[in-house]
């Protein structure tokens, strides 16, 4: 099998620009470049972890992948078919195969619906009989670790972790192959986070799911991902298989990001080069020329202002976008 067949999602040159202001003249129009030329693949049954500071474009990538947004440019091959610009009507078969779960399970669940009807809702137009629907909801409830007597209750009667389980069950209703998990545990108590992660991992194992896992928690990303991508201001600056990345961080931004978190292993902490992030993240409206990290990079040179560094292959499946690496 070629590499291409092995990956379920293959993103190439993805761009998502949002218009700023209301100018009707094309030449006066300004763009917020939330995602600006991002490429990566997600293997079948694998997790791609996406990290980076707030506002770097992680959620926007996720929303493009499940086509909640139509990207400005680029391709999104899903099981070999480019769905980046597919019209809504033709998207229907793909909508079933990809789902998204959100950070705030409460906001994404209708408070006036019972758990059973929330989970069944995506299945209403599938022509299933009432008995079949009921059976499927029971199956899903069991799959995510909830109990049958939860079915007739309402979201407010549940804890955060249980609500996230309802969100997962609803996402699984259409038997998707791919799920975007956008900060699925960051709103939960630390004690509950590991349980929800375990459930996601078990489901991946059982159902062969692929995940895009977006998180600020770098140790969680390390734990759950097969491959990790680091984003900065709309660009992917480094990407590698998880062990390779955590053993051998190359991009100055990745090092800065990682050195900002406490490392449980003191040897690794001693070895890690400490780079402190100074200044604020610039705005993605008219981002800086050349390397977008240059205003905060201690190694920036003249070349970094002029030339945008390409994501280069440095071996072992490791890619990095920096002129000095
Ligand atoms: N629908 C939208 N319209 C206009 N701008 C948007 C829209 N969605 C996101 N943005 C902007 O795009 C940039 C990237 O946002 P995004 O939500 O993807 O970041 P993020 O990495 O998910 O951040 P966080 O970690 O805070 O969730 C931000 O500057 C944001 O303000
Ligand atoms: S390309 Fe230049 S500015 Fe960008 S990370 Fe590398 S050294 Fe720093
Ligand atoms: Mg986000």
């Amino acid at each position: 099998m070629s590499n291409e067949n092995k990956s379920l999602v293959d993103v190439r040159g993805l761009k998502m620009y949002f218009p700023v202001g209301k100018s009707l003249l094309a030449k006066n129009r300004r763009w917020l470049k939330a995602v600006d030329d991002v490429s990566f693949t997600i293997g079948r049954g694998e997790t791609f972890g996406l990290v980076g500071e707030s506002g770097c474009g992680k959620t926007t990538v996720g929303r493009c992948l499940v086509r909640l947004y139509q990207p400005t440019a680029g391709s999104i091959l899903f099981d070999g078919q480019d769905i980046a610009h597919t019209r809504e009507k033709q998207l229907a078969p793909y909508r079933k195969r990809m789902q998204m779960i959100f950070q705030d399970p409460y906001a994404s669940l209708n408070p006036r619906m019972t758990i059973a009807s929330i989970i069944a809702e995506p299945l209403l137009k599938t022509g299933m009989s009432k008995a079949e629907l009921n059976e499927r909801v029971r199956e899903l409830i069991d799959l995510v670790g909830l109990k049958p007597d939860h079915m007739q209750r309402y979201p407010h009667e549940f804890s955060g972790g249980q609500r996230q389980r309802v969100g997962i069950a609803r996402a699984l209703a259409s038997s998707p192959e791919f799920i975007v998990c956008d900060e699925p545990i960051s709103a939960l108590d630390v004690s509950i986070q590991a349980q929800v992660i375990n459930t996601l991992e078990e489901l991946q194992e059982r159902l062969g799911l692929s995940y895009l896992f977006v998180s600020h928690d770098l140790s969680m990303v390390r734990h759950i991902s097969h491959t990790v991508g680091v984003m900065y201001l709309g660009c992917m600056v480094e990407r590698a298989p998880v062990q390779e990345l955590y053993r051998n961080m190359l991009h100055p931004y990745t090092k800065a990001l990682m050195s900002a978190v406490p490392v449980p292993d003191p040897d690794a902490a001693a070895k890690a080069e400490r780079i402190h992030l100074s200044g604020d993240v610039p705005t993605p409206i008219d981002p800086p020329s050349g390397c977008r990290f240059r205003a905060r990079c201690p190694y920036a040179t003249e070349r970094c202002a002029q030339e945008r560094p390409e994501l280069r292959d440095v071996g072992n499946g490791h890619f990095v976008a920096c002129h000095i690496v």
Side-chain angles (χ1 to χ4, degrees):
M1 217 198 279
S2 76
N3 270 340
E4 245 140 82
N5 291 336
K6 267 196 260 169
S7 62
L8 179 65
V9 182
D10 184 347
V11 182
R12 298 183 193 172
L14 185 70
K15 296 185 182 178
M16 184 72 216
Y17 295 177
F18 296 107
V20 182
K22 294 195 172 77
S23 177
L24 294 174
L25 288 174
K27 71 177 171 69
N28 292 340
R29 212 167 287 154
R30 295 173 74 206
W31 298 98
L32 184 151
K33 299 181 175 179
V35 176
D36 200 10
D37 200 355
V38 162
S39 302
F40 60 98
T41 60
I42 308 175
R44 286 174 202 274
E46 295 198 343
T47 301
F48 189 95
L50 202 53
V51 300
E53 282 165 291
S54 186
C56 68
K58 304 178 298 295
T59 294
T60 306
V61 168
R63 296 182 77 99
C64 287
L65 262 48
V66 296
R67 277 300 313 274
L68 290 176
Y69 290 150
Q70 172 155 1
T72 307
S75 61
I76 300 166
L77 301 181
F78 183 84
D79 199 10
Q81 289 294 312
D82 188 357
I83 56 156
H85 305 282
T86 305
R87 294 219 182 117
E88 192 54 46
K89 250 189 182 159
Q90 277 85 40
L91 269 178
Y94 294 97
R95 293 247 174 256
K96 282 190 230 142
R97 300 174 67 186
M98 42 197 207
Q99 294 291 335
M100 186 151 178
I101 55 179
F102 303 90
Q103 172 172 0
D104 182 353
Y106 200 55
S108 56
L109 304 179
N110 186 334
R112 282 186 291 271
M113 285 166 76
T114 62
I115 299 309
S117 39
I118 288 173
I119 297 174
E121 199 184 25
L123 299 171
L124 291 180
K125 287 187 191 149
T126 56
M128 275 183 170
S129 70
K130 218 172 172 191
E132 283 168 333
L133 262 179
N134 213 356
E135 182 53 36
R136 177 72 179 139
V137 171
R138 274 175 187 280
E139 195 178 274
L140 289 161
I141 289 241
D142 181 54
L143 208 53
V144 299
L146 292 169
K147 301 205 173 64
D149 65 331
H150 288 146
M151 283 171 64
Q152 295 316 319
R153 299 213 201 147
Y154 291 86
H156 73 265
E157 298 177 59
F158 287 88
S159 69
Q162 287 173 319
R163 275 185 226 137
Q164 192 54 289
R165 288 176 192 275
V166 175
I168 297 169
R170 182 182 157 98
L172 289 174
S174 63
S175 306
E177 294 141 77
F178 173 54
I179 302 183
V180 171
C181 309
D182 189 5
E183 311 256 14
I185 54 162
S186 44
L188 306 178
D189 286 349
V190 175
S191 57
I192 308 294
Q193 291 184 345
Q195 296 171 15
V196 173
I197 288 294
N198 286 342
T199 300
L200 286 172
E201 287 185 303
E202 279 164 29
L203 290 168
Q204 177 166 61
E205 183 83 20
R206 261 171 94 167
L207 307 171
L209 298 169
S210 304
Y211 295 141
L212 178 79
F213 188 86
V214 172
S215 182
H216 278 101
D217 183 339
L218 297 167
S219 53
M220 200 54 90
V221 167
R222 179 180 196 169
H223 170 83
I224 200 173
S225 307
H226 299 86
T227 309
V228 175
V230 182
M231 283 188 72
Y232 186 78
L233 211 60
C235 303
M236 195 168 282
V237 297
E238 188 161 12
R239 157 163 66 79
V242 66
Q243 281 172 350
E244 164 67 19
L245 185 81
Y246 282 80
R247 190 172 52 222
N248 184 26
M249 291 167 201
L250 295 173
H251 196 282
Y253 178 64
T254 311
K255 291 180 187 172
L257 199 63
M258 303 288 176
S259 65
V261 287
V263 188
D265 170 4
D267 287 345
K271 268 186 262 162
E273 193 181 339
R274 294 232 153 226
I275 298 180
H276 290 287
L277 283 175
S278 56
D280 294 327
V281 185
T283 141
I285 304 171
D286 306 326
S289 66
C291 176
R292 292 196 179 168
F293 185 53
R294 72 184 158 84
R296 302 168 85 196
C297 179
Y299 310 108
T301 64
E302 191 52 32
R303 185 180 174 200
C304 305
Q306 270 142 32
E307 211 180 301
R308 181 171 168 175
E310 296 290 325
L311 204 57
R312 271 184 310 118
D313 187 349
V314 292
N316 298 329
H318 197 152
F319 290 77
V320 59
C322 172
H323 293 310
I324 63 159
V325 171

